Amino acid sequence: MATLILGSCESGAPFGQQTFRGQYSVARDALETGNYDLAARKYAKLAEAAGPLEARIRLEYAHTQLRAENYADAAQQASQLAAEQTGTARAAALAVQATAEHELGMAARTKGDHATAKQLLESADSAMAEILKSHPDLDPMGALAARRASINTQLKTL
């Protein structure tokens, strides 16, 4: 079924002729099946017409970039979104930002760029600390806390 939907949406029909809900389903399915290029294109297009759902669509775009290992773009997009949001929406954006910065920090550390690694890891730690303090319900399985512990362990080696 997903293949049929994806195939029909890529047929060249102008975006305005397709429903927002349908395009969202295509983007979400693409994200969940690992077709990150398609997901990013669809989310970027959706954001232009999202109205009150714009923040949600932008978060999903940032998440797509994270999953595609485009960490710099994911961090930038999520950071910008976090600066504009409050509450749970801010915390969700911070989770993407922190995860991307953690990955970028580990890469910088591997390359021997300890100053950049430290800056990125400290930023990731700060974002994780905020999430865990203000929205512990967003970490029911402890994955964010575990990532934060890993970040702190890595910071001690710099």
Side-chain angles (χ1 to χ4, degrees):
M1 182 67 165
T3 305
L4 177 61
I5 291 170
L6 289 173
S8 67
C9 290
E10 286 296 297
S11 66
F15 182 78
Q17 294 177 2
Q18 299 172 18
T19 68
F20 185 89
R21 184 181 302 249
Q23 287 299 296
Y24 176 80
S25 292
V26 171
R28 190 73 196 166
D29 287 347
L31 172 61
E32 294 303 321
T33 59
N35 190 345
Y36 304 127
D37 184 54
L38 175 61
R41 286 194 322 269
K42 293 297 181 182
Y43 282 130
K45 192 70 172 171
L46 281 166
E48 297 172 6
L53 298 174
E54 180 187 1
R56 171 65 187 224
I57 298 302
R58 288 173 54 207
L59 177 63
E60 293 199 31
Y61 175 81
H63 186 233
T64 298
Q65 296 299 60
L66 179 67
R67 299 251 311 256
E69 299 180 3
N70 297 327
Y71 300 125
D73 191 35
Q76 187 271 329
Q77 295 290 329
S79 175
Q80 183 179 24
L81 187 58
E84 299 167 2
Q85 300 300 309
T86 60
T88 304
R90 174 177 168 75
L94 286 173
V96 173
Q97 174 191 332
T99 303
E101 288 176 339
H102 182 207
E103 296 294 334
L104 290 167
M106 289 189 298
R109 183 172 167 244
T110 298
K111 291 179 182 175
D113 186 351
H114 296 283
T116 299
K118 184 175 182 180
Q119 180 269 322
L120 288 163
L121 293 173
E122 286 175 343
S123 179
D125 180 59
S126 176
M128 286 291 183
E130 181 179 334
I131 298 163
L132 293 168
K133 181 178 179 183
S134 64
H135 294 285
D137 55 307
L138 294 181
D139 193 27
M141 303 302 287
L144 297 177
R147 185 177 282 271
R148 183 168 187 225
S150 175
I151 291 166
N152 282 303
T153 298
Q154 292 165 9
L155 278 168
K156 289 176 185 172
T157 67
L158 295 175

